[in-house]
Amino acid sequence: EYLKTIFASKDHPLVKRVLRKRRPQRITIHQNNVNPSELAYMRAAKINTMLMLPMIFQDRIIGLTQLITGQTYDHLLDRKVALAQLMANQAAGAIENAHLYKKAQQEIIERKLMEEKISASLKEKDVLLKEIHHRVKNNLQIVSSLLFLQEEYMADPKGIELLRESQNRVKSMALIHELLYGTSDLAKIDFG
């Protein structure tokens, strides 16, 4: 817990060195330049050597990791440090992939929600179109029926002919409306 507090700050000299140099940094309890708070912590925790490694993924530092031991290594072997750096970079890749996976999952959820909204909207529009069709059909039927009823009160053959002609026009509109409603492509209607 104390280690997290000491080394959490970007202003800490060791952290600054790791971030600036972009390579592992080592401190041991025997070094002269060890900060007094670090030294006190290291003694209390029986830590003699600490190696801080940048976690690099695609040339970006995404974090830092620390390796600590109770043994004193005045000179860590370069190949061990290189192996530790490789492992830190692999961990960085895994962390970055986890972030990408989480982001992709969130995008999939958002896309599904949008698809559900679009589907609901299409269903609503379909219901509205059916209602409009039904009302137009009923209105045309009412007009045709009114013309038919008016025909019974007409004695003039010319007036009856005009009413029948109007009735035929309303029937033509009703047929066109049926064709329009029944077609899958509203841009084209076969009037023939």
Side-chain angles (χ1 to χ4, degrees), residues 51-63:
L51 180 65
M52 189 171 290
L53 303 144
M55 298 174 76
I56 300 172
F57 180 74
Q58 294 182 346
D59 206 34
R60 288 181 305 127
I61 296 177
I62 67 163

Side-chain angles (χ1 to χ4, degrees), residues 62-130:
I62 67 163
L64 299 173
T65 190
Q66 299 163 346
L67 299 176
I68 57 175
T69 180
Q71 299 175 9
T72 303
Y73 291 106
D74 288 330
H75 184 4
L76 284 172
L77 296 174
D78 286 342
R79 62 188 170 100
K80 286 185 179 179
V81 173
L83 180 61
Q85 183 61 62
L86 179 64
M87 291 170 59
N89 291 347
Q90 291 292 324
I95 291 168
E96 197 65 23
N97 286 339
H99 286 299
L100 290 173
Y101 179 76
K102 186 176 180 180
K103 185 177 178 182
Q105 289 296 96
Q106 186 61 37
E107 287 176 7
I108 288 169
I109 290 168
E110 288 172 7
R111 183 172 289 159
K112 283 183 180 180
L113 288 173
M114 289 303 295
E115 287 173 1
E116 287 172 6
K117 283 183 180 179
I118 290 169
S119 179
S121 178
L122 285 173
K123 286 178 184 175
E124 183 180 322
K125 285 179 174 58
D126 190 43
V127 168
L128 289 173
L129 275 174
K130 286 180 181 179

Side-chain angles (χ1 to χ4, degrees), residues 132-149:
I132 289 169
H133 168 71
H134 180 69
R135 288 183 185 203
V136 168
K137 188 176 173 182
N138 281 350
N139 287 343
L140 290 172
Q141 183 61 43
I142 289 170
V143 170
S144 180
S145 297
L146 288 173
L147 290 171
F148 179 76
L149 289 173

Side-chain angles (χ1 to χ4, degrees), residues 149-163:
L149 289 173
Q150 190 64 39
E151 187 181 311
E152 291 181 10
Y153 296 106
M154 294 287 274
D156 182 23
K158 185 79 173 161
I160 292 173
E161 186 181 327
L162 285 173
L163 286 174

